Amino acid sequence: MKTAHAVAASLLATLTLSTLAQAEERVPAGPPGSVLNTPSHAHRLDVGGSFGFNNAGGVGFFTGFGVAADVRLVDFLSLGAGVGGGLWGPRFTAHSRVYPLGVSRSFFLQGALAYNLGHDSYFDEDSRDEVRISRAGATTANASLGYRMDLGSRGWLAFEAGWAFRLRPAEYRATGRRELTDAEEQALRFSRPGGILLGISGGFSVL
């Protein structure tokens, strides 16, 4: 019991000192929830990298990495864009975020449109049985819930999860000396844009 009391007293003292230190800092004032009452009051433009499934960074692995930027127009609204590579080719994404609780260290709701250019590739490129896969362009409408947090004075980290809805079928065509195997068909279906959306991004606030 004494240990619990000591821990509670230490936490209370730490919180008190932290509150007093923040109170002495001269920062702009604003209404509750306003970006002026958060550590990110001066940070309007985020730039960084992203990777994950069906987000701006594409689908997994190194080829799923992308770059993104997000600019906050007002306290609770931002617009952004990203470009990256995925298993369905280069991807361009435009998004809008709403921060119901304020911008800094808070949850956001995001809606986005992503266009995947498609590309051509080969199965068994080094053999006589090569098969050419032509992937057509595909568009998804994405809805996700995310969380953004500050890292130090300028860094930031964000997580998002949601669903990517295909606006039309992600079509592909196979041509070559043989038919696709079941495993190859499954791999192509897995790599199509759409479905579960998971992403992590991070970078710096430059404005």
Side-chain angles (χ1 to χ4, degrees):
M1 184 65 67
K2 292 181 179 180
T3 302
H5 288 167
V7 172
S10 299
L11 290 174
L12 180 60
T14 301
L15 290 173
T16 301
L17 293 174
S18 176
T19 301
L20 291 175
Q22 292 181 10
E24 293 177 357
E25 294 180 0
R26 301 182 64 182
V27 297
S34 169
V35 71
L36 295 179
N37 272 344
T38 69
S40 291
H41 64 269
H43 300 170
R44 294 291 182 178
L45 176 61
D46 288 347
V47 295
S50 171
F51 68 94
F53 291 89
N54 288 304
N55 70 326
V59 181
F61 310 113
F62 181 77
T63 57
F65 184 80
V67 294
D70 188 70
V71 59
R72 289 184 285 281
L73 304 178
V74 293
D75 288 359
F76 301 101
L77 175 67
S78 68
L79 299 176
V83 58
L87 299 180
W88 212 258
R91 168 176 295 156
F92 297 92
T93 303
H95 71 256
S96 176
R97 291 178 179 175
V98 175
Y99 294 83
L101 304 177
V103 169
S104 180
R105 297 192 183 97
S106 64
F107 291 97
F108 60 83
L109 301 173
Q110 177 172 292
L113 282 177
Y115 180 67
N116 304 264
L117 268 65
H119 71 109
D120 294 347
S121 64
Y122 291 88
F123 285 124
D124 298 327
E125 188 172 0
D126 296 329
S127 74
R128 294 181 178 180
D129 294 330
E130 67 180 26
V131 179
R132 179 188 177 105
I133 307 298
S134 298
R135 299 167 178 82
T139 303
T140 62
N142 304 344
S144 58
L145 175 67
Y147 184 81
R148 180 193 180 279
M149 59 184 294
D150 286 329
L151 297 176
S153 60
R154 289 288 178 178
W156 59 270
L157 190 65
F159 306 89
E160 61 175 313
W163 195 262
F165 302 89
R166 279 191 290 268
L167 299 184
R168 63 179 183 179
E171 299 177 346
Y172 61 88
R173 181 166 50 91
T175 56
R177 299 174 182 270
R178 62 173 177 83
E179 299 293 328
L180 293 175
T181 66
D182 291 341
E184 291 168 344
E185 290 276 7
Q186 291 178 2
L188 284 169
R189 286 194 292 269
F190 172 78
S191 67
R192 292 179 301 179
I196 189 170
L197 187 157
L198 295 172
I200 180 172
S201 56
F204 298 92
S205 295
V206 296
L207 290 179

